[in-house]
């Protein structure tokens, strides 16, 4: 149960942060934005941006920022409010080749304006927009910048180019534009649902060097520029295909292995319950096989081994005190643990703290040695075939790595958001699928041998019997000794609390056996189980203790692009 709780916490946390990342700012979104660029024959351009802020919560200011690299030259021409309340103050901050505007709607940081729908238009001129390569020219601009923590629901772009310019080849990053107009010299596009932290840019490649003087140059040939766009197209397809392959592999591989190596063999046992322990095996063996699926015995196995020693009179018990009488000759490590905890041959189960702190390392080592010995004994019986579990879980562990890679692709593959948003969802899904595979019980992908399956089913049937009040009432044990066996094996199977509760209802006075009396007076099985857990905890805690940017080439090489914010 604990493993599934941990898995559930990881799943919830992962999905929460993923949705939080994609959802953007809770304060606002941009339902509509228009970008219009009119390119002049001298290589300058006049840009008009029309932006609508949908303020969902109280706010203090809106901000808009744009800048360009040298040698381009920026000039703000006009700012106009088209819709919504008038700001109390507009603060303008001059940037090198750009500007930042803040529209304040309150006079204090402690006061907020009510939600509103506000639209502004911004018009500016930029000189030297045309960039010359070695044998071509290009217009490479960002329609909107990537420092925006909100969705843009609709981004409408219109670019007008002089009629005497040759027809350009047009590329967009991200590449999910709907072409609205193909009229010569007038190009119109629509981008829908642009995610947060995503720029959108257009690259217009002219097949020759335009006869326009410009200091904006890139050491790039047209073949190189087109090669960048081919690489962009290839990577877009590759990311989509590989992420789909990843999720399919993550889902189908464990299913195939289960069908081949994990399905249980049919056995002829079908009893609903067992009234007596199905075998004479020591309780720690039952704990290892049934509760821990032939893995390592746990703290319940440790407790049941001590109770077995009480039954065999190697130890006596009075209330919360164990008296060590003689080494039983088996489970010697368990007996040695009790010797380390004993004071004058007596173990006070309610006051173990000081002795545990002093002897934690030795107790922990003895417990580990005991676990390994019992596990080896169980493996020798050949009850379970683990091939399917191993074949599936080792790849599942390594397959979580590409899941992380796909999940964070949007963070470092800017300009590919039309595919990385999808691939990150596939990455998260694949990561969680592989994590789920790792958390699966061993017997889901492994399978029991015929003998092991019957052994497991018989002990599970016995577990049902000792945890079912109606069955125990209908078929009570024939002797007091059986009650003692019930408690020992209930402890081994991890159901002692439920069995003791049923016994109390059936027998208000405890049966006259040391184990039954101590279980009624205090949960001795619970005290015993804390010994290895506390020792492990103590041991674990002690051992842990530039002015001219790069532009004009590649994805993200577009210039300009306004950044939009709310505070």
């Amino acid at each position: 149960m604990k493993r599934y709780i941990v898995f559930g916490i990881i799943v919830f946390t992962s999905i929460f942060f993923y949705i939080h990342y994609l959802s953007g700012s809770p304060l606002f979104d941009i339902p509509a934005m228009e970008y219009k660029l009119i390119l002049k024959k001298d290589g300058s351009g006049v840009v008009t941006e029309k932006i609508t802020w949908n303020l969902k919560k109280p706010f203090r200011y809106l901000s808009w920022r744009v800048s360009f690299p040298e040698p381009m030259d920026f000039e703000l021409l006009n700012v106009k409010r088209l819709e919504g309340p008038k700001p109390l103050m507009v603060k303008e901050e001059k940037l090198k080749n750009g500007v930042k505007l803040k529209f304040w709607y309150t006079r204090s940081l402690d006061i907020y304006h009510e939600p509103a729908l506000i639209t502004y238009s911004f018009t500016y001129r930029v000189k030297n927009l045309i960039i010359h390569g070695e044998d071509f020219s290009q217009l490479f601009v960002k329609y909107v910048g990537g420092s925006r923590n909100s969705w843009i629901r609709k981004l409408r772009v219109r670019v007008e180019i002089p009629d005497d310019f040759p027809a350009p080849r047009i590329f967009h990053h991200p590449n999910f534009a709907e072409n609205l107009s193909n009229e010569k010299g007038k190009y119109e596009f629509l981008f829908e649902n642009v995610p947060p932290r995503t720029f959108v840019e257009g690259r217009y490649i002219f097949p020759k060097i335009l006869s326009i003087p410009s200091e904006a140059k890139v050491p790039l040939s047209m073949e190189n520029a087109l090669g960048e766009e081919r690489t962009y197209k290839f990577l877009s397809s590759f990311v989509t295909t590989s992420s789909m392959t990843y999720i399919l592999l993550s889902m189908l591989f464990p299913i195939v292995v289960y069908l081949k190596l994990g399905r249980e063999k049919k056995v002829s046992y079908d009893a609903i319950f067992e009234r007596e322990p199905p075998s004479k095996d020591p309780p720690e063996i039952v704990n290892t096989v049934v509760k821990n699926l032939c893995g390592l015995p746990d703290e319940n196995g440790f407790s049941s081994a001590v109770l077995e020693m009480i039954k065999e009179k190697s130890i006596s018990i009075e209330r919360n005190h164990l008296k060590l009488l003689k080494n039983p000759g088996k489970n010697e490590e368990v007996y040695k643990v009790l010797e380390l905890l004993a004071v004058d041959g007596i173990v006070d189960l309610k006051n173990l703290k000081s002795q545990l702190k002093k002897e934690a390392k030795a107790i922990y080592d003895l417990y580990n040695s005991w676990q390994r010995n019992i596990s080896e004994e169980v493996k020798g019986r050949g009850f379970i075939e683990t091939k399917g579990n191993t074949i599936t879980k080792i790849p599942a562990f390594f397959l979580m790595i590409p899941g992380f890679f796909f999940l964070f692709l949007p963070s470092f593959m800017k300009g590919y958001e039309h595919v990385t948003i999808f691939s990150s969802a596939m990455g998260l899904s694949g990561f969680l699928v592989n994590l789920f595979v790792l958390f699966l019980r061993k017997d889901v992908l492994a399978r029991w041998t015929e003998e092991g399956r019957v052994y497991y089913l018989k002990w599970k049937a016995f577990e049902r019997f000792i945890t079912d009040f109606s069955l125990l009432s209908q078929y009570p044990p024939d002797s007091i000794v059986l009650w003692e066996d019930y408690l020992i094996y209930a402890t081994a199977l991890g159901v002692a609390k439920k069995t003791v509760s049923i016994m109390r209802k059936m027998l208000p006075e405890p049966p006259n056996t040391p184990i039954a009396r101590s279980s009624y007076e205090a949960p001795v099985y619970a005290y015993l189980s804390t010994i290895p857990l506390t020792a492990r905890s103590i041991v674990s805690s002690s051992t842990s203790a530039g002015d001219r940017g790069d532009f004009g080439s590649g994805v993200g090489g577009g210039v300009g692009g306004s950044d939009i914010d709310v505070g």
Side-chain angles (χ1 to χ4, degrees):
M1 179 61 72
K2 289 180 182 177
R3 70 175 71 192
Y4 295 116
I5 293 173
V6 172
F7 175 73
I9 292 171
I10 294 173
V11 170
F12 176 81
T13 305
S14 302
I15 293 175
F16 173 80
F17 281 110
Y18 182 73
I19 291 173
H20 178 73
Y21 175 82
L22 283 182
S23 61
S25 171
L27 286 177
F28 77 109
D29 66 5
I30 307 295
M33 176 176 174
E34 295 178 9
Y35 176 96
K36 182 179 180 180
L37 165 62
I38 300 176
L39 187 65
K40 305 296 184 180
K41 290 184 179 182
D42 62 358
S44 66
V46 175
V47 177
T48 300
E49 296 185 22
K50 180 182 173 184
I51 303 170
T52 298
W53 281 264
N54 176 26
L55 288 311
K56 304 175 186 177
K57 294 186 176 182
F59 68 101
R60 294 170 298 182
Y61 65 84
L62 311 179
S63 75
W64 175 84
R65 176 187 183 277
V66 69
S67 64
F68 290 81
E70 292 183 344
M72 297 172 187
D73 188 33
F74 170 86
E75 179 187 1
L76 183 64
L77 300 177
N78 185 44
V79 178
K80 188 175 182 181
R81 178 174 51 87
L82 304 176
E83 179 185 13
K86 184 179 179 180
L88 298 177
M89 176 178 60
V90 179
K91 183 179 179 182
E92 180 176 338
E93 179 184 350
K94 296 283 188 181
L95 306 175
K96 192 169 186 179
N97 262 357
V99 68
K100 181 177 181 180
L101 300 176
K102 260 190 178 180
F103 303 89
W104 284 93
Y105 283 81
T106 63
R107 296 192 182 278
S108 167
L109 292 175
D110 299 325
I111 302 173
Y112 288 81
H113 193 282
E114 288 302 307
L117 198 67
I118 302 174
T119 303
Y120 279 90
S121 73
F122 307 89
T123 303
Y124 53 91
R125 179 186 294 112
V126 184
K127 295 179 180 179
N128 293 316
L129 264 181
I130 293 296
I131 303 168
H132 291 323
E134 294 173 357
D135 57 357
F136 76 105
S137 296
Q138 64 178 346
L139 171 68
F140 201 171
V141 292
K142 284 189 175 72
Y143 309 134
V144 65
S147 300
R148 177 196 71 263
N149 193 28
S150 69
W151 286 83
I152 299 178
R153 298 305 170 185
K154 287 189 178 183
L155 168 61
R156 194 180 188 102
V157 173
R158 182 178 175 88
V159 175
E160 297 183 7
I161 295 174
D163 292 339
D164 53 352
F165 280 24
R169 296 183 64 174
I170 302 173
F171 304 93
H172 286 115
H173 315 138
N175 186 23
F176 62 98
E178 179 186 347
N179 196 341
L180 300 181
S181 171
N182 238 351
E183 183 183 349
K184 186 178 186 312
K186 295 178 175 60
Y187 306 98
E188 201 163 344
F189 308 96
L190 178 65
F191 298 84
E192 293 190 279
N193 295 316
V194 180
R197 295 168 287 276
T198 304
F199 62 76
V200 181
E201 65 185 6
R203 187 178 197 177
Y204 299 74
I205 296 179
F206 301 99
K208 63 178 184 178
I209 296 181
L210 299 176
S211 56
I212 299 172
S214 177
E215 296 178 29
K217 301 181 188 299
V218 288
L220 202 67
S221 68
M222 183 169 177
E223 182 55 37
N224 294 145
L226 295 177
E228 289 177 344
E229 296 305 327
R230 286 193 294 270
T231 300
Y232 175 81
K233 185 177 180 181
F234 167 76
L235 286 176
S236 298
S237 300
F238 177 75
V239 168
T240 302
T241 304
S242 57
S243 62
M244 289 180 67
T245 303
Y246 169 69
I247 186 64
L248 288 172
L249 180 63
S250 298
M251 295 176 67
L252 293 177
F253 183 69
I255 293 172
V256 172
V257 173
Y258 168 75
L259 294 175
K260 292 285 185 182
L261 300 172
R263 281 194 290 189
E264 295 295 349
K265 299 172 182 178
K266 290 184 179 180
V267 294
S268 56
Y269 179 82
D270 59 359
I272 298 173
F273 62 87
E274 293 278 349
R275 292 177 59 188
E276 296 185 6
S279 71
K280 301 290 186 183
D281 281 331
E284 63 271 15
I285 297 293
V286 175
N287 171 267
T288 306
V289 176
V290 181
K291 188 169 184 290
N292 294 292
L293 307 174
C294 298
L296 292 171
D298 59 17
E299 64 276 6
N300 293 302
F302 178 89
S303 300
S304 64
V306 175
L307 294 180
E308 183 75 4
M309 292 178 190
I310 295 172
K311 178 186 173 185
E312 293 175 351
K313 296 185 170 49
S314 296
I315 302 172
S316 66
I317 184 168
E318 284 296 331
R319 292 186 178 272
N320 302 311
H321 295 80
L322 300 178
K323 185 176 182 181
L324 308 185
L325 302 175
K326 61 178 180 178
N327 193 312
K330 61 179 182 179
N331 285 322
E332 289 190 12
E333 297 95 341
V334 175
Y335 194 81
K336 286 178 181 177
V337 166
L338 297 177
E339 285 182 325
L340 290 172
L341 294 171
V343 178
D344 298 328
I346 303 294
V347 179
D348 184 351
L349 293 175
K350 274 196 169 183
N351 296 285
L352 293 171
K353 195 171 183 180
S354 60
Q355 285 297 102
L356 273 169
K357 278 188 175 180
K358 187 165 63 174
E359 303 291 351
K361 181 66 169 65
I363 290 171
Y364 183 64
D365 290 342
L366 284 168
Y367 178 66
N368 283 341
S369 174
W370 171 76
Q371 283 185 307
R372 289 192 296 270
N373 291 337
I374 300 301
S375 180
E376 286 301 316
E377 184 178 344
V378 167
K379 283 180 183 176
R381 299 193 180 193
F383 277 167
I384 198 165
E385 298 171 356
T386 60
K387 187 177 179 182
N389 188 64
T390 305
I391 287 175
T392 307
K393 290 192 175 179
I394 291 177
F397 175 79
F398 288 104
L399 278 171
M400 289 197 297
I401 297 171
F404 264 114
F405 174 76
F406 284 120
L407 180 59
F408 293 104
L409 270 184
S411 300
F412 56 87
M413 279 190 76
K414 294 299 182 182
Y416 291 83
E417 283 79 6
H418 63 299
V419 293
T420 55
I421 294 294
F422 169 79
S423 69
S424 66
M426 296 299 99
L428 177 62
S429 302
F431 173 81
L432 294 178
V433 166
N434 286 295
L435 186 67
F436 176 72
V437 169
L438 290 178
F439 273 80
L440 284 175
R441 280 166 47 110
K442 185 190 294 183
D443 61 339
V444 175
L445 295 165
R447 63 183 173 194
W448 298 95
T449 61
E450 188 172 342
E451 180 186 3
R453 180 69 173 161
V454 171
Y455 185 98
Y456 176 81
L457 291 175
K458 282 185 175 181
W459 277 102
K460 292 303 284 185
F462 177 70
E463 181 184 320
R464 278 194 296 274
F465 177 72
I466 60 175
T467 54
D468 190 307
F469 177 76
S470 60
L471 287 175
L472 268 175
S473 301
Q474 190 175 352
Y475 304 104
D478 298 329
S479 67
I480 291 175
V481 176
L482 265 179
W483 276 118
E484 201 151 70
D485 287 339
Y486 284 4
L487 287 170
I488 292 171
Y489 286 114
T491 301
L493 294 166
V495 295
K497 185 176 181 181
K498 193 167 185 180
T499 299
V500 170
S501 175
I502 292 171
M503 283 179 63
R504 286 179 180 276
K505 292 177 183 177
M506 294 177 61
L507 304 169
E509 292 297 320
N512 190 26
T513 69
I515 295 174
R517 283 198 309 272
S518 62
S519 297
Y520 269 46
E521 292 165 359
V524 63
Y525 50 85
Y527 290 137
L528 290 168
S529 69
T530 63
I531 293 172
L533 293 176
T534 305
R536 181 189 298 138
S537 174
I538 293 171
V539 171
S540 298
S541 63
S542 66
T543 54
S544 63
D547 286 340
R548 178 167 181 155
D550 295 328
F551 62 90
S553 65
V555 177
V559 296
S562 59
D563 292 319
I564 305 159
D565 200 8
V566 168

